[in-house]
């Protein structure tokens, strides 16, 4: 009898301890917790060694410093809160506060972002960053406001090239009959078609399986992503045609933004700008390291003659003449060297 009373009491005690600590955790990790601290929920789709993740970790630290601990962020990487399209949906309902997204994955919501999926519109990395840091880049960050998406900054995502399972891509003809995964961008689908292949949009987090099972014969991405996703375990050829430069952006839900004070917005913007700067610095090294690492893992890297690809995609620009995207292309051209 005595034993069962003591069992009951210790059970009760454990129950109370568990409930109290769960409640404490709930308060700590919910935004606007009782102590006035705001904890913003952020999602992204990269692993924890990727420059985007490292820059976001610094952003969290800076935000806490600047705000004297009154605002922080919880970072959820590796698509654990859903793929980019899901995260954009969650931003638009205010379920999520912040998320990174490739601008290509925003095309369905903000058609102007399709601009970046047009091939060979930048001369080099410098030209691309001059555009992003200039008037056009700043305007585009605000272009999703009606969809409740506000861009805080860009992250470098280098240039994208094809990688394939069975053969190298030396000329556009080599893409004939191949199924290539692209991001959720109608313009990217057009580009692959124009080059001679066929394109299938698949979420980033599902691509490894799709490559393995032969749903697609290849994909296209920047070297750091090819490396960190381990797609090189399946695709043995990386063909550096560098067809597009499609940046990532850090988005905040305007539902969250509107609830922040002017001072809080300022802190968030400073922390985001610093994160963008750091990410860009980390990016260059990560690209060199990734190329070296995949080569050491036995991947064949080839450097096709880009002119062949440029020539083949020429018909893609014509339909945009006189449109919003066409006008933006003119702005981009003006920032080319020697213009
Ligand atoms: C890159 C980019 C991501 C994007 C991914 C993709 O890794 O940085 O934002 O989601 O490519 O191909 O889906």
């Amino acid at each position: 009898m005595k034993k069962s009373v003591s069992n009951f009491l210790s059970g009760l005690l454990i129950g109370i301890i568990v409930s109290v600590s769960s409640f404490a955790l709930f308060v700590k990790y919910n935004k606007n917790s009782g102590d006035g601290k705001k904890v913003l929920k952020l999602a992204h789709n990269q692993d924890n060694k990727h420059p985007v993740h490292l820059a976001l970790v610094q952003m969290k630290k800076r935000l806490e410093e600047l705000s004297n601990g009154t605002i922080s962020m919880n970072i959820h990487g590796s698509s654990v809160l859903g793929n980019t399209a899901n995260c954009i949906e969650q931003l638009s309902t205010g379920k999520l506060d912040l998320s990174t997204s490739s601008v290509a994955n925003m095309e369905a919501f903000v058609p102007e972002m399709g601009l970046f999926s047009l091939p060979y519109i930048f001369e080099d990395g410098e030209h691309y960053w001059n555009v992003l840091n200039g008037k056009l880049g700043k305007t585009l960050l605000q272009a999703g406001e009606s969809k409740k998406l506000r861009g805080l900054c860009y992250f470098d995502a280098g240039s994208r090239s094809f990688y394939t399972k069975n053969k190298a891509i030396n000329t556009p003809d080599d893409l004939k009959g191949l199924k290539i995964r692209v991001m959720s961008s109608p313009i990217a689908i057009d580009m692959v078609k124009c080059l001679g292949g066929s394109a299938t949009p698949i979420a980033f987090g599902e691509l490894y399986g799709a490559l393995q099972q032969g749903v697609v014969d290849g994909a296209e991405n920047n070297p750091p992503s090819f490396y960190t996703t381990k797609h090189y375990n399946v695709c043995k050829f990386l063909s550096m045609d560098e067809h597009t430069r499609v940046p990532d952006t850090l988005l905040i839900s305007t539902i969250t933004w509107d609830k922040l004070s002017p001072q809080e917005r300022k802190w968030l913007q400073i922390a985001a700008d610093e994160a963008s700067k750091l990410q860009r610095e980390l990016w260059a090294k990560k690209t060199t390291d990734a190329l070296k690492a995949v080569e050491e893992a036995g991947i064949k890297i080839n450097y096709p003659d880009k002119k062949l690809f440029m020539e083949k995609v020429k018909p893609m620009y014509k339909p945009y003449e006189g449109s919003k995207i066409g006008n933006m292309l003119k702005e981009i051209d003006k920032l080319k060297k020697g213009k």
Side-chain angles (χ1 to χ4, degrees):
M1 180 67 186
K2 249 189 179 168
K3 203 161 177 210
S4 65
V5 169
S6 88
N7 277 351
F8 170 74
L9 285 178
S10 44
L12 188 68
L13 193 63
I14 291 170
I16 292 172
I17 294 170
V18 169
S19 316
V20 168
S21 41
S22 318
F23 181 69
L25 265 177
F26 170 78
V27 170
K28 183 159 183 249
Y29 288 110
N30 238 359
K31 60 180 156 179
N32 288 324
S33 55
D35 55 8
K37 180 172 169 178
K38 284 184 186 158
V39 183
L40 304 177
K41 199 166 155 190
L42 184 153
H44 70 80
N45 62 358
Q46 304 291 357
D47 87 346
N48 63 8
K49 288 188 198 75
H50 192 280
V52 163
H53 180 79
L54 301 176
L56 290 170
V57 169
Q58 179 201 266
M59 178 175 166
K60 173 187 163 114
K61 203 170 138 242
R62 274 299 278 151
L63 190 59
E64 288 171 352
E65 264 168 31
L66 289 162
S67 70
N68 233 330
T70 59
I71 318 185
S72 184
M73 317 192 302
N74 270 340
I75 305 172
H76 306 266
S78 303
S79 307
V80 291
L81 296 185
N83 62 36
T84 311
N86 298 146
C87 290
I88 292 179
E89 292 284 345
Q90 294 180 53
L91 290 176
S92 69
T93 58
K95 203 173 151 207
L96 185 63
D97 300 303
L98 296 143
S99 178
T100 63
S101 170
S102 167
V103 294
N105 287 324
M106 293 174 71
E107 204 180 311
F109 310 88
V110 189
E112 300 94 295
M113 289 300 196
L115 167 77
F116 293 96
S117 295
L118 283 167
Y120 301 112
I121 59 174
F122 299 108
E123 274 181 326
D124 52 21
E126 198 188 328
H127 178 213
Y128 156 77
W129 272 103
N130 286 341
V131 171
L132 296 180
N133 287 333
K135 204 169 133 226
L136 178 59
K138 294 212 167 88
T139 310
L140 281 172
L141 283 179
Q142 321 283 314
E145 296 257 323
S146 67
K147 299 285 173 3
K148 303 210 173 348
L149 307 171
R150 182 188 173 89
L152 290 174
C153 65
Y154 293 104
F155 290 131
D156 207 334
S159 57
R160 299 176 75 93
S161 294
F162 292 111
Y163 51 87
T164 35
K165 287 174 77 169
N166 300 319
K167 64 170 186 183
I169 307 300
N170 280 301
T171 74
D173 274 355
D174 293 325
L175 284 162
K176 267 196 196 131
L178 294 192
K179 275 181 276 155
I180 302 292
R181 176 270 176 178
V182 291
M183 288 190 277
S184 180
S185 151
I187 298 186
I189 296 176
D190 274 1
M191 180 198 68
V192 173
K193 214 162 125 194
C194 191
L195 286 170
S198 68
T200 313
I202 295 174
F204 190 50
E206 289 156 26
L207 180 54
Y208 192 99
L211 286 164
Q212 231 175 4
Q213 288 153 26
V215 177
V216 282
D217 307 300
E220 45 89 56
N221 217 317
N222 50 56
S225 297
F226 180 52
Y227 177 60
T228 53
T229 54
K230 298 201 170 52
H231 290 171
Y232 64 91
N233 284 343
V234 192
C235 292
K236 300 295 173 194
F237 300 90
L238 172 62
S239 305
M240 297 292 288
D241 68 307
E242 302 191 301
H243 45 261
T244 46
R245 289 182 187 270
V246 190
D248 283 343
T249 177
L250 176 60
L251 298 169
I252 184 164
S253 163
T254 58
I255 300 170
T256 305
W257 182 255
D258 292 347
K259 283 188 202 143
L260 299 176
S261 70
Q263 179 60 73
E264 289 171 331
R265 290 179 190 171
K266 223 179 250 171
W267 289 329
L268 199 64
Q269 191 61 60
I270 294 172
D273 289 341
E274 289 180 10
S276 165
K277 202 166 158 266
L278 171 68
Q279 193 271 350
R280 209 180 145 189
E281 281 161 21
L282 297 174
W283 186 260
K285 187 172 177 324
K286 189 75 185 177
T287 303
T288 319
D289 291 354
L291 284 170
K292 201 166 156 245
V294 295
E295 200 157 33
E296 277 167 14
I299 300 308
K300 297 216 160 50
I301 305 179
N302 64 304
Y303 293 83
D305 179 1
K306 290 186 202 171
K307 282 198 212 95
L308 300 174
F309 293 76
M310 288 175 179
E311 197 53 40
K312 193 93 185 182
V313 296
K314 266 190 182 153
M316 284 192 74
Y317 312 108
K318 191 110 187 117
Y320 295 100
E321 273 172 21
S323 73
K324 222 178 194 175
I325 287 191
N327 294 336
M328 293 193 293
L329 286 174
K330 279 192 192 151
E331 291 302 306
I332 293 179
D333 267 356
K334 278 189 206 151
L335 291 177
K336 281 185 175 159
K337 273 172 234 141
K339 290 243 168 174

